[in-house]
Amino acid sequence: MTELPARDEADIAEAIASAAAKGTPLEISGGATRLSLGRPVQAGQRLSTRALSGISLYEPGALTLVVRAGTPMAEVDAALAAEGQMLPFEPMDHRALLVSTGQPTIGGAVAIAASGPRRLQKGACRDSMIGIRLIDGLGQVISNGGRVMKNVTGYDLVKLMAGSWGTLGVLTEISFKLLPAPQTTAVLLYDGLDDETAVQAMSDALGSSADVAGAAHFPVEIDGDPVTMIRLEGLEGSVAHRTKALVDHLGAYGQARIVTDPEVAAAGWRAVRDAEPFAARDGAVWRVSVKPTDGPGLVSALKASGIAKAAFFDWAGGLIWLLTDDAGDGGAAAVRAEVAPRGGHATLVRAHAPVRNSVDVFQPEPAPLARISAGLREKFDPKGILNPGRMTA
């Protein structure tokens, strides 16, 4: 696939306007680390935001960052770490899971709404966004939101673009609200809990006053021994106090092992965030969202039928990562049959192209919502040239 040259926002706008005039479909990319996500794009040319790199504005005192979409995540993280700050939503790095190379970009993280384990405490990617610049499917530059947390700008295109997968427009710049990085982290580990008990323990932790910043559970098939992880973050004295109180609160679930080494704690949560247990294992990978109390039953049913080879839980059980065979429909029919009565949704994250071409990668939308989605795509991309086929057949 040929890549169109683009040095700046004006070049990207011109390239899109030209493609729209000719009806030429485009595949939109940033660091090219997530191109195998979603359905295969039906396009002959690739348009990259890689040249749109760099921090436009960073005001640590105002906890505000404005950054160009093609900026590598590593560059963003380093700049924030130097000031003791962070993006609240802990975006996933897909490279190990997808066996891809390159550098993930901040625009790519926003385009797929890559929210990690801290989402249950700090909110999703969209909740951290306060402004955007984008180019629509006709090559028009649109700006929405601002560079401060309080602004009144009419329609909230900012949140609409989070998770739009490049089908509504090409992001060129994003503004974020930030948070101070935690001074101290403590992780409570509970060994040997079954899935239902683990979900109950995580729910009890979230219902306490401990202000939990992460809750995940690895069943026995992940590393041989079930382990339930509960994370606390903040000032050293506060974390110490909350850790003691939470250990007492969860006493019925056994004796907790407490990890305070920052490198060990960070490695454990990277494994959760990036779905590392499935990176070295063959198979299709699903990301399933249901009520936490429904998760164990769903996993049990899919294991009993032979569909799920392995699973683990994030977001206190509200997010389930499933490993299935990468053949046929990748388990789509069975997974969706279990998800539907529970009111959840399932997304196929990794599979070979034949599987991704043959099934709905994203949860099918109810007819009224599908009409709204189609209407939005028609307004933002009337020629249908931006990532055609990425989200729908």
Side-chain angles (χ1 to χ4, degrees):
M1 184 182 294
T2 60
E3 182 170 304
L4 297 173
R7 297 164 298 177
D8 52 26
E9 184 181 74
D11 278 355
I12 292 177
E14 182 178 347
I16 293 175
S18 176
K22 299 173 183 176
T24 303
L26 300 172
E27 180 177 46
I28 312 303
S29 78
T33 63
R34 302 181 174 101
L35 292 178
S36 63
L37 290 175
R39 293 177 63 93
V41 172
Q42 309 303 315
Q45 291 184 308
R46 181 172 295 157
L47 181 59
S48 175
T49 63
R50 191 168 52 248
L52 303 180
S53 183
I55 292 173
S56 305
L57 175 72
Y58 181 24
E59 296 184 349
L63 291 170
T64 303
L65 173 75
V66 183
V67 60
R68 298 182 185 92
T71 308
M73 283 299 313
E75 183 178 329
V76 175
D77 290 340
L80 300 185
E83 296 292 340
Q85 296 181 348
M86 67 179 186
L87 290 168
F89 56 98
E90 201 171 5
M92 178 180 181
D93 182 343
H94 286 80
R95 284 176 293 182
L97 186 66
L98 301 180
V99 194
S100 59
T101 58
Q103 290 291 321
T105 64
I106 187 65
V110 169
I112 68 167
S115 305
R118 204 174 278 114
R119 183 196 190 287
L120 58 77
Q121 182 196 46
K122 302 301 183 183
C125 170
R126 64 180 178 271
D127 300 312
S128 296
M129 296 167 57
I130 54 177
I132 54 167
R133 283 177 66 86
L134 68 109
I135 302 170
D136 70 8
L138 295 177
Q140 302 173 113
V141 178
I142 300 171
S143 180
N144 186 247
R147 297 183 174 185
V148 295
M149 295 183 195
K150 292 182 179 179
N151 59 76
V152 179
T153 54
Y155 296 110
D156 193 354
L157 302 184
V158 177
K159 290 180 173 57
L160 181 65
M161 290 300 292
S164 61
W165 291 76
T167 62
L168 300 180
V170 178
L171 287 164
T172 61
E173 188 176 76
I174 310 106
S175 304
F176 295 97
K177 59 182 178 181
L178 307 171
L179 287 177
Q183 182 186 87
T184 303
T185 299
V187 182
L188 280 61
L189 303 179
Y190 290 88
D191 297 315
L193 303 184
D194 61 44
D195 293 354
E196 288 189 5
T197 306
V199 167
Q200 185 59 56
M202 292 187 290
S203 297
D204 285 351
L206 261 67
S208 73
S209 59
D211 196 19
V212 170
H217 173 66
F218 290 120
V220 64
E221 72 271 7
I222 297 300
D223 62 6
D225 293 299
V227 61
T228 306
M229 307 164 56
I230 299 172
R231 179 173 62 181
L232 303 179
E233 296 177 328
L235 298 175
E236 184 176 358
S238 171
V239 170
H241 172 77
R242 287 183 285 129
T243 298
K244 183 180 183 305
L246 187 57
V247 167
D248 292 341
H249 182 72
L250 299 180
Y253 298 101
Q255 182 62 44
R257 293 185 288 123
I258 301 174
V259 174
T260 56
D261 183 302
E263 293 185 4
V264 174
W269 288 99
R270 275 197 305 273
V272 177
R273 183 194 73 181
D274 299 341
E276 288 181 3
F278 297 158
R281 299 181 64 171
D282 292 335
V285 176
W286 290 85
R287 194 173 187 266
V288 178
S289 181
V290 293
K291 289 185 297 183
T293 51
D294 285 342
L298 181 146
V299 170
S300 178
L302 290 173
K303 285 182 179 178
S305 66
I307 297 298
K309 307 303 179 184
F312 70 91
F313 301 80
D314 193 6
W315 299 353
L319 175 63
I320 305 165
W321 290 91
L322 292 173
L323 184 71
T324 65
D325 284 334
D326 193 3
D329 71 349
V335 170
R336 295 237 159 84
E338 291 295 335
V339 167
R342 295 174 170 88
H345 59 84
T347 302
L348 181 59
V349 176
R350 185 184 76 187
H352 289 121
V355 176
R356 293 190 293 122
N357 266 322
S358 66
V359 304
D360 289 316
V361 169
F362 299 94
Q363 183 73 21
E365 296 176 326
L369 183 56
R371 287 195 293 271
I372 292 173
S373 297
L376 285 169
R377 284 192 291 270
E378 172 65 24
K379 291 294 185 183
F380 280 87
D381 181 23
K383 302 295 184 179
I385 64 167
L386 300 179
N387 276 352
R390 175 70 82 199
M391 299 191 76
T392 58

